[in-house]
Amino acid sequence: MAEERKKPIAIITIGMAGAGKSTFVQRINSYLHSQDPPKTPYILNLDPAVTHVPFEANIDIRDTVNYSEVMKQYNLGPNGGILTSLNLFTTKFDQVLELVDKRVDTVDYVILDTPGQIEIFTWSASGAIITDAVASSLSTVVAYIIDTPRTSAPATFMSNMLYACSILYKTKLPFILVFNKTDVQSHQFALDWMHDFEEFQAALAEHGGTRDAEGEPTYMNSLMHSMSLVLDEFYKHLTAVGVSSMSGDGIKEFFDAVEASRETYETDYLPELARARATREKKLQDAKDESMNKLLRDLTMDRAKNPGGALSDRWDPNAEEDDDDDNDDEDIIDRTEEAWPGQYIDVTRAQRHPEERINWPRPG
Ligand SMILES: Nc1nc2c(ncn2[C@@H]2O[C@H](COP(=O)(O)OP(=O)(O)OP(=O)(O)O)[C@@H](O)[C@H]2O)c(=O)[nH]1
Ligand SMILES: [Mg+2]
């Protein structure tokens, strides 16, 4: 019997402009199609400004929002235009999730390509909403694409790693560092630096002046030294693979890492998600309790101040029970469907059923 089909894994590709995100998505797309039996990806393009997408997207943000129109209409520059387009698209993201949901039994991977400007996705509300929405419905992994040849200077390498680090801590999702363009330069130097702190320090010393004219360590150097100590901890939490989106090298290793991420998602992310939800619900409950206590305190104070009023403020045990009123929850009034307070209703003519005859007493 065929083994039970697993739910798809969502891969969110993030990376600096030009790191090769779209080329990478195209490469993994063709890799999946070439498997035997072929694996089916479901691809989302979230870059509204791209003119040519090298893969066929199942859902394309450009079908929903017109980036250049948005720029014109809201008087925005290119980045504001991308951000606003993404915001507009996010308002409909529930529909995207529904569409994805319909495919969970036939699709193996859901792949998201994000806009070129990394901060638009990673530091915007819509990026966070999209990431959280995907991650709470599917096992999800972040593929952080790095332009390897452009990251070979120690200072650039570190700032790129710090950026990755900030995304890891923000999303708390399983994370794969994808050193792309290994056809141009091998990513071995990066692995060495990540595994051996001393080696990175040596590279730093060699690369820039570590001492200023007076022979003191430069500001930059001591900053980088302490930063690299932070990163040492960070490296323990992730997997690094080298790939070439041009030649296809390393793509299999990437998918091995993706499959392994399923476990991290279940052991680390899901409990974290449950914790975050519980905290949110507790906060809400606390706020409700607090306002209830406040109300009760106010009532007690009122009664103390006005004992006469308090005496008459009691239920009359002899009063007839009103059957309609034993429901504690007040119905919320929907103005579009029901009469609302302030709308004139001639209650003297209102009947609960056609036979009902009520003689309303005339005033006076
Ligand atoms: N040599 C080499 N070039 C690559 C590789 N991957 C991407 N490129 C090139 O890098 C450039 C940028 O690639 P894209 O895929 O557009 O990068 P992107 O991150 O999607 O770019 P934006 O979305 O515009 O930020 C293109 O010229 C690609 O041909 C690779 O593995 N090797
Ligand atoms: Mg792109």
Side-chain angles (χ1 to χ4, degrees):
M1 215 181 94
E3 81 181 277
E4 198 192 331
R5 200 189 169 83
K6 289 184 182 156
K7 271 182 91 176
I9 301 184
I11 303 170
I12 306 181
T13 55
I14 294 178
M16 304 280 176
K21 297 177 289 298
S22 306
T23 317
F24 177 73
V25 170
Q26 176 203 23
R27 172 56 68 183
I28 58 178
N29 181 27
S30 66
Y31 172 85
L32 290 173
H33 282 293
S34 70
Q35 295 302 289
D36 181 25
K39 305 227 174 211
T40 324
Y42 191 78
I43 308 184
L44 275 64
N45 170 41
L46 299 180
D47 188 352
V50 71
T51 44
H52 168 71
V53 189
F55 46 83
E56 193 137 346
N58 296 77
I59 298 181
D60 196 320
I61 183 171
R62 294 172 306 164
D63 298 335
T64 317
V65 276
N66 182 335
Y67 162 70
S68 45
E69 271 309 307
V70 168
M71 262 173 52
K72 255 189 246 155
Q73 211 175 338
Y74 295 89
N75 223 350
L76 297 166
N79 290 324
I82 298 179
L83 181 60
T84 307
S85 304
L86 195 65
N87 287 343
L88 292 170
F89 183 72
T90 306
T91 61
K92 300 195 176 171
F93 205 72
D94 55 326
Q95 293 176 30
V96 174
L97 287 179
E98 273 169 29
L99 290 171
V100 173
D101 204 43
K102 277 189 199 151
R103 305 284 198 104
V104 286
D105 295 329
T106 49
V107 153
D108 297 284
Y109 298 95
V110 176
I111 303 165
L112 283 76
D113 187 16
T114 58
Q117 300 294 329
I118 187 167
E119 62 276 22
I120 291 180
F121 192 76
T122 52
W123 297 109
S124 67
S126 14
I129 291 171
I130 292 177
T131 310
D132 289 352
V134 171
S136 47
S137 54
L138 291 178
S139 176
T140 305
V141 56
V142 172
Y144 186 81
I145 317 292
I146 300 156
D147 188 330
T148 311
R150 292 197 186 197
T151 315
S152 53
T156 325
F157 178 76
M158 192 155 63
S159 59
N160 210 333
M161 289 302 112
L162 284 172
Y163 209 105
C165 182
S166 68
I167 298 171
L168 171 77
Y169 289 133
K170 191 165 186 289
T171 61
K172 301 190 176 63
L173 282 166
F175 208 88
I176 304 174
L177 290 179
V178 180
F179 287 97
N180 189 26
K181 312 195 186 180
T182 50
D183 54 295
V184 181
Q185 181 169 1
S186 153
H187 68 302
Q188 192 54 46
F189 72 89
L191 296 182
D192 294 344
W193 288 350
M194 288 165 70
H195 292 148
D196 188 347
F197 178 70
E198 308 269 313
E199 202 155 322
F200 182 66
Q201 290 300 314
L204 264 182
E206 193 184 311
H207 228 79
T210 52
R211 311 232 158 221
D212 62 16
E214 277 91 48
E216 293 295 318
T218 56
Y219 157 73
M220 199 51 188
N221 206 257
S222 53
L223 174 75
M224 295 232 268
H225 185 86
S226 27
M227 287 300 188
S228 51
L229 282 174
V230 174
L231 284 175
D232 224 30
E233 179 60 30
F234 163 67
Y235 295 147
K236 293 185 189 135
H237 293 281
L238 34 92
T239 325
V241 293
V243 307
S244 164
S245 303
M246 272 313 176
S247 71
D249 256 12
I251 299 294
K252 186 185 171 309
E253 287 71 21
F254 169 73
F255 275 103
D256 291 344
V258 169
E259 282 304 326
S261 79
R262 209 190 269 273
E263 198 184 318
T264 324
Y265 172 83
E266 277 160 19
T267 54
D268 294 0
Y269 181 77
L270 282 183
E272 183 68 39
L273 184 71
R275 253 196 308 279
R277 276 195 185 145
T279 315
R280 210 165 39 230
E281 272 158 29
K282 180 163 179 341
K283 257 194 195 155
L284 198 68
Q285 191 55 45
D286 287 352
K288 277 186 191 165
D289 291 350
E290 171 60 19
S291 42
M292 186 47 106
N293 287 340
K294 224 169 130 196
L295 176 73
L296 291 176
R297 261 203 314 275
D298 287 354
L299 277 175
T300 322
M301 237 153 36
D302 269 2
R303 290 179 178 212
K305 272 191 206 152
N306 183 7
L311 276 180
S312 55
D313 181 17
R314 289 185 194 282
W315 297 116
D316 178 354
N318 299 320
E320 270 180 43
E321 283 263 337
D322 185 348
D323 281 348
D324 290 346
D325 242 12
D326 55 7
N327 187 355
D328 283 342
D329 295 325
E330 199 63 59
D331 281 340
I332 306 265
I333 296 159
D334 183 345
R335 280 180 162 227
T336 55
E337 286 172 6
E338 310 229 356
W340 58 91
Q343 175 178 318
Y344 175 72
I345 300 168
D346 186 352
V347 283
T348 61
R349 288 167 198 266
Q351 288 173 306
R352 274 171 294 195
H353 50 86
E355 289 78 44
E356 188 175 52
R357 292 273 172 270
I358 304 172
N359 291 323
W360 292 91
R362 302 227 154 249

